[in-house]
Amino acid sequence: MPTVPGTVIPDPVSQVAGQGEFVITPTTGIRATGDGLPVANYLGELLRPATGLPFPVGDTGDITLVIEAGHPAGGYDLVVTTTGIRLAADDAAALFAGAQTLRQLLPPAIEGRAQADAEWVVAATVIHDYPRFAYRGAMLDVARHFFDIATVKRYIDDIAMLKINVLHLHLTDDQGWRIAIDRWPKLTEIGAATQVGGTGGGFYSHDDYRDIVAYAASRYVTVVPEIDVPGHTNAALASYPELNCDGRSPAVYEGIEVGFSSLCIGAERTYEFFDDVITELAELTPGPWIHIGGDESLTTPEADFLTFVSRAAAIVASHGKTVIGWHELGRSTRLPAGTIGEYWSFTTAQADAAAHALSFIQQGGRLVMAPADVAYLDMKYDDSSTLGLTWADGATSVPDSYQWDPAAILPGIDDDQLLGIEAALWTETLATIADLESMAFPRIACVAEIAWSARPSVPRNFADFAPRLAALGLRLDAAGIGYYRAPEVAWHH
Ligand code: ACM
């Protein structure tokens, strides 16, 4: 039978239609054991509210989740027949990805939190699927505007639905320091007291942060914390005079300019500070990566920048973590083995960005691609956008965010040199969950598909994707997730 296009986003590697459908009834249960049990419990939680059905989890059930060897890395097999559903994968994270596919095979009303009237059926199908990239990231800037734990958890659920498995939290910037550091308490006493625009602010205690990390783990999402240094540090500089070369703290900053701040590179205290921060952060971070920023340090002289980067990266490595940095970090030729560069220039590289990014490859590392002109979700969609910015080559339409390929940006790069891709949501203009979701959706679905779905043999065609986005729109409506009704999509209402 031929592969038929379904409505699942990201598009599975292969999906073949079967005969008939599986009908969910009050006795439908979810069968799982061992590491499959948390996924079964998650699936049950997902399916119960809208159906009003019990979905018992245990040793019997027509929906079977199986962990077994033999599936591609990160992939799963999903078979739906008239008598049952079998979802199998090598590990729980891949099983969870398969559960997201199963979710999208159900009627959109499944996304509602109140009991809904719908025919709870799944059309028979055979899906074989696996990801293109291991790292499928979403970045959230909690520094320009602070977002509480509930908002971050909701965003984790938003991204997990699309098989995004990394949440990069931009924890520090000129406008705010958002993670408590016990040894340097003024970072949050002073540095977290405000945000862009001057009202609000806040930070995560260690327990808050552990709560976020644990919630993310329950969705098989790894949190990558970012401490952006040596630039983007006004909040730290405002908190501690000793971090400034002249020993004087600047005022806190509530605007949206970039590139004006720098730690004092020549002072040993700077490295004691950074080591203390990384010591506490590494202890809070079960994942392998810590991001140290490195972007837009426009007032740091080149020699100082290079000195700082090699010392800061070595500190992170000494705590057993792999360094990630924005592509400017590639100006250094003394990065620890395996350092990951995050490329944020455009799909046509600007100035030295390509050379800086390729430097990570030359030093044995890999890249995460987050090209700002297509994968920065805070860019305006078009002239009608009231939120967002335009510096990344103007507005970014929904087709723009879909029609690009991460392996086609830099010369000599193939998928092997890419750890993955990331959609970034900067928050200079975004203050609420509604703001976040209206800028993320639907473009984050475009980026998620590029991160997961196999590289196409011909360039991605938005016309093929648009009907699936329209189908996703019905799910977002049911879930109460606001999104931009892009004019290029024939939404179902
Ligand atoms: C960045 O957008 N400055 C990473």
Side-chain angles (χ1 to χ4, degrees):
M1 238 182 290
T3 294
V4 295
T7 60
V8 176
I9 296 176
D11 196 20
V13 172
S14 92
Q15 181 174 1
V16 177
Q19 295 287 322
E21 59 196 19
F22 175 74
V23 180
I24 288 171
T25 73
T27 61
T28 302
I30 306 172
R31 175 152 54 129
T33 57
D35 285 351
L37 269 173
V39 182
N41 286 324
Y42 166 87
L43 186 60
E45 282 171 29
L46 207 62
L47 302 181
R48 283 177 203 119
T51 59
L53 299 176
F55 288 101
V57 172
D59 297 339
T60 60
D62 293 335
I63 302 175
T64 308
L65 307 190
V66 183
I67 293 185
E68 61 182 19
H71 307 275
Y76 63 89
D77 283 281
L78 176 60
V79 178
V80 181
T81 67
T82 53
T83 56
I85 295 176
R86 186 177 195 274
L87 172 60
D90 274 26
D91 58 39
L95 207 56
F96 182 84
Q100 298 306 329
T101 297
L102 174 56
R103 171 185 188 176
Q104 290 189 39
L105 300 179
L106 282 152
I110 199 68
E111 301 297 337
R113 294 299 89 189
Q115 200 171 325
D117 227 8
E119 259 192 279
W120 302 114
V121 299
V122 184
T125 188
V126 176
I127 294 178
H128 175 66
D129 198 14
Y130 53 87
R132 177 175 174 186
F133 295 116
Y135 182 119
R136 303 179 297 278
M139 190 217 76
L140 181 61
D141 171 11
V142 297
R144 271 53 176 272
H145 280 97
F146 179 68
F147 296 93
D148 64 14
I149 297 172
T151 300
V152 177
K153 288 181 175 176
R154 178 166 164 139
Y155 200 61
I156 289 169
D157 281 327
D158 288 351
I159 65 177
M161 173 174 64
L162 296 165
K163 301 186 176 74
I164 290 173
N165 65 352
V166 176
L167 176 68
H168 164 187
L169 285 178
H170 183 75
L171 289 169
T172 69
D173 212 304
D174 291 315
Q175 298 85 347
W177 184 284
R178 308 297 180 199
I179 179 79
I181 300 296
D182 291 343
R183 282 167 240 198
W184 294 74
K186 288 185 190 161
L187 288 172
T188 43
E189 281 166 30
I190 296 172
T194 191
Q195 59 184 0
V196 168
T199 49
F203 65 95
Y204 308 118
S205 69
H206 285 195
D207 280 348
D208 293 342
Y209 194 73
R210 286 193 189 96
D211 186 15
I212 290 170
V213 169
Y215 190 83
S218 76
R219 271 75 178 138
Y220 302 88
V221 169
T222 300
V223 176
V224 175
E226 178 185 353
I227 302 295
D228 198 351
V229 284
H232 288 278
T233 44
N234 190 78
L237 298 169
S239 305
Y240 284 98
E242 65 205 270
L243 297 177
N244 298 269
C245 283
D246 64 3
R248 288 208 304 268
S249 275
V252 295
Y253 184 66
E254 295 163 345
I256 64 167
E257 296 300 315
V258 296
F260 58 87
S261 55
S262 179
L263 293 172
C264 184
I265 306 302
E268 274 315 296
R269 198 73 181 123
T270 294
Y271 304 93
E272 292 165 15
F273 159 78
F274 192 67
D275 192 38
D276 285 345
V277 170
I278 298 302
T279 299
E280 293 188 27
L281 197 63
E283 196 271 320
L284 292 168
T285 301
W289 301 292
I290 288 184
H291 200 307
I292 61 170
D295 57 321
E296 297 174 308
S297 293
L298 305 181
T299 62
T300 319
E302 183 70 4
D304 282 359
F305 182 81
L306 298 178
T307 299
F308 179 83
V309 165
S310 59
R311 290 191 67 175
I315 287 169
V316 171
S318 79
H319 289 282
K321 298 298 180 186
T322 297
V323 177
I324 305 184
W326 297 109
H327 66 243
E328 289 99 317
L329 224 61
R331 284 149 61 185
S332 171
T333 54
R334 298 172 56 197
L335 298 173
T339 296
I340 302 300
E342 181 163 9
Y343 176 88
W344 65 277
S345 186
F346 298 168
T347 44
T348 299
Q350 307 284 294
D352 296 329
H356 295 155
L358 292 172
S359 154
F360 291 86
I361 310 290
Q362 283 145 16
Q363 296 179 67
R366 288 195 285 171
L367 292 170
V368 170
M369 302 301 284
D373 56 339
V374 290
Y376 270 27
L377 305 177
D378 59 304
M379 290 300 121
K380 287 182 183 291
Y381 289 97
D382 55 33
D383 290 345
S384 76
S385 301
T386 52
L387 301 171
L389 302 172
T390 55
W391 61 263
D393 206 21
T396 298
S397 71
V398 177
D400 287 342
S401 64
Y402 186 70
Q403 291 169 323
W404 60 283
D405 192 85
I409 294 171
L410 299 172
I413 291 295
D414 218 326
D415 282 12
D416 290 346
Q417 283 93 40
L418 301 181
L419 180 61
I421 71 174
E422 188 161 279
L425 191 45
W426 300 96
T427 60
E428 286 95 334
T429 66
L430 314 178
T432 66
I433 182 68
D435 292 350
L436 297 179
E437 289 180 339
S438 71
M439 295 306 275
F441 287 94
R443 289 180 293 195
I444 196 163
C446 303
V447 180
E449 176 143 312
I450 297 169
W452 176 279
S453 302
R455 188 180 190 183
S457 52
V458 292
R460 288 179 197 280
N461 180 358
F462 187 76
D464 296 338
F465 181 61
R468 285 185 294 120
L469 265 191
L472 179 71
L474 293 174
R475 294 177 180 281
L476 299 177
D477 289 338
I481 295 173
Y483 58 97
Y484 175 59
R485 266 99 173 141
E488 301 89 349
V489 177
W491 304 102
H492 291 298
H493 54 86

